[in-house]
Amino acid sequence: MILAVASGKGGTGKTTVSANMARALDVDAQLLDCDVEEPNAHLFLRGEVLDTEVVGIPTPQVDPSLCDGCNACGAFCEYSAIVSFGKAPILFPEMCHGCGGCMKVCPRGAITEKDRRIGVLETFQSHNVMLTHGRLDVGVAMAPPLIRAVKGKMRGDAAAILDAPPGTSCPVIATLRGVDYALLVTEPTPFGLHDLRLAVAMTREINIPFGVLVNRVGVGDDRVQRFCDQENIPILMEIPDDRGIAEAHSRGQLMVDALPEYKERFQALFESIENLTRENPDGKSE
Amino acid sequence: MPLRCFGMVAPGKQQRNNELKIAFTTSGAALDAPLDGRFGRAPRFLIYDLDADTFEVINNEQNLNAAQGAGIQSAQTITQSGAKAIITGHCGPKAFRALRAAGVAIYNADAPTISAALDQYRNGELVESDDADVEGHWI
């Protein structure tokens, strides 16, 4: 099963939930930290670095002696990464999404590709968990290609848990595409509810079955729970606002290590999601 | 480039660098409309024909709402309009590169209206910009 842990609001506990769930499983698990702008699961799952890999995206280069300035490339490019004003095109590599379209539409074969580095992948082994994360280079603003590279490390022979970036924009969509289930982590506050609504709308739009985990229950009110009731969204787990959890977290300790009762709770959470995806293999949680 | 007889042009209306059409960024649609400070995300471009003393207005709304690349696309729009100069408030780095590549001269002006900026241009009070004067918005 491929499970993504996502949220609208940042700081609700995606990494806490995904790292603890992965560790709680008694079998081999893969954790893929898709928050490539700020990966942090490795802070809780310290382990040996097994592998490092540089990731690039193909960007165009133009042979001016072959170019006749027709601007077929510029007309094609959705992101204005290449544009010609009657002579050899000028390039904006930082805008290029690496689709290769300019090279295909060039009638004179003047465009070739070369890789532009955007970041690195690192893989760690920590007990039963193989953690892979991406680290986007400073100054690079395009996360989805690196997220796809992180997801490319899924082996398929172990449960995969994807720790998504916060929000509802392209990096989150890139993470959620193709997963079996999304667990939306929120907190019972007005901000939590507001951003949960956005996350619910997004997840429905891309047709991925989902449920909610409410973290830090007790800090706010019950509007998140009432919203989930009204919308028939299952709340799969509630974690109380507990000083013991916060203290463990601040030491970089996993809940399942510091508070052993959570090991069973996270195992049960994972099993309940597995059962939900088995009941509904083609999507639609409602 | 057709030959032009500059002796026929009235004093005060002499063309500089063959800039026959010049573009202004604006939110309005007339000469007394405000000059818009943004280039890439200007709502409209007013293209003024110095020869005929006429103008046309081009909508730029699609770039106003573009996630990214607004400056580059706006530079393409200016090029397609035939304008050889742009008078605007500010110009970012990507737009600057694109306009330069297209051979469009860039003038930064702080005039309140298009007509005031046009007067500044005609009086030679505007200096052609040789670099972007603001940071890009995206990175």
Side-chain angles (χ1 to χ4, degrees), chain A residues 71 74-75 77-85 87 90-95 97 139-142, chain B residues 68-70 72-77 79-80 93-103 138-139:
Chain A
N71 196 36
C77 184
E78 187 71 20
Y79 301 99
S80 301
I82 185 166
V83 59
S84 164
F85 296 100
K87 44 200 174 200
I90 53 172
L91 302 169
F92 297 91
E94 69 276 28
M95 310 289 283
H97 286 52
V140 174
M142 208 177 307
Chain B
Q68 53 202 237
I72 306 166
Q73 280 165 38
S74 293
Q76 290 180 275
T77 304
T79 309
Q80 281 154 16
K94 295 193 193 83
F96 190 90
R97 263 186 72 203
L99 288 166
R100 263 292 171 85
W138 183 48
I139 50 174

Side-chain angles (χ1 to χ4, degrees), chain A residues 99-150:
Chain A
C99 76
C102 56
M103 191 171 67
K104 286 203 164 61
V105 300
C106 177
R108 299 175 64 94
I111 301 176
T112 52
E113 289 180 330
K114 71 169 179 196
D115 255 11
R116 185 174 79 95
R117 181 192 150 122
I118 58 167
V120 292
L121 295 182
E122 290 169 324
T123 299
F124 310 77
Q125 186 72 44
S126 170
H127 302 279
N128 65 317
V129 182
M130 182 185 269
L131 166 66
T132 300
H133 71 196
R135 197 186 284 279
L136 199 64
D137 285 348
V138 171
V140 174
M142 208 177 307
L146 187 55
I147 292 169
R148 287 191 284 272
V150 173

Side-chain angles (χ1 to χ4, degrees), chain A residues 1-79:
Chain A
M1 178 179 67
I2 307 170
L3 164 67
V5 180
S7 76
K9 185 179 175 301
T12 54
K14 288 178 295 301
T15 302
T16 302
V17 169
S18 49
N20 278 289
M21 198 169 6
R23 173 61 61 77
L25 301 179
D26 283 326
V27 294
D28 280 348
Q30 265 197 294
L31 177 59
L32 299 125
D33 189 345
C34 295
D35 191 357
V36 299
E37 291 172 87
E38 203 168 15
N40 60 353
H42 63 287
L43 301 176
F44 299 95
L45 290 163
R46 280 151 283 186
E48 295 275 309
V49 177
L50 297 181
D51 189 39
T52 303
E53 190 179 312
V54 172
V55 177
I57 55 173
T59 50
Q61 51 183 0
V62 180
D63 182 343
S65 69
L66 295 176
C67 174
D68 64 358
C70 73
N71 196 36
C73 52
F76 178 84
C77 184
E78 187 71 20
Y79 301 99

Side-chain angles (χ1 to χ4, degrees), chain B residues 48-72:
Chain B
Y48 192 85
D49 187 324
L50 290 168
D51 255 359
D53 277 329
T54 56
F55 63 85
E56 59 169 330
V57 175
I58 300 175
N59 198 345
N60 194 41
E61 295 281 346
Q62 80 279 14
N63 284 332
L64 183 59
N65 297 318
Q68 53 202 237
I72 306 166

Side-chain angles (χ1 to χ4, degrees), chain B residues 100-119:
Chain B
R100 263 292 171 85
V104 177
I106 302 145
Y107 298 92
N108 300 121
D110 58 2
T113 62
I114 294 173
S115 56
L118 182 58
D119 287 345

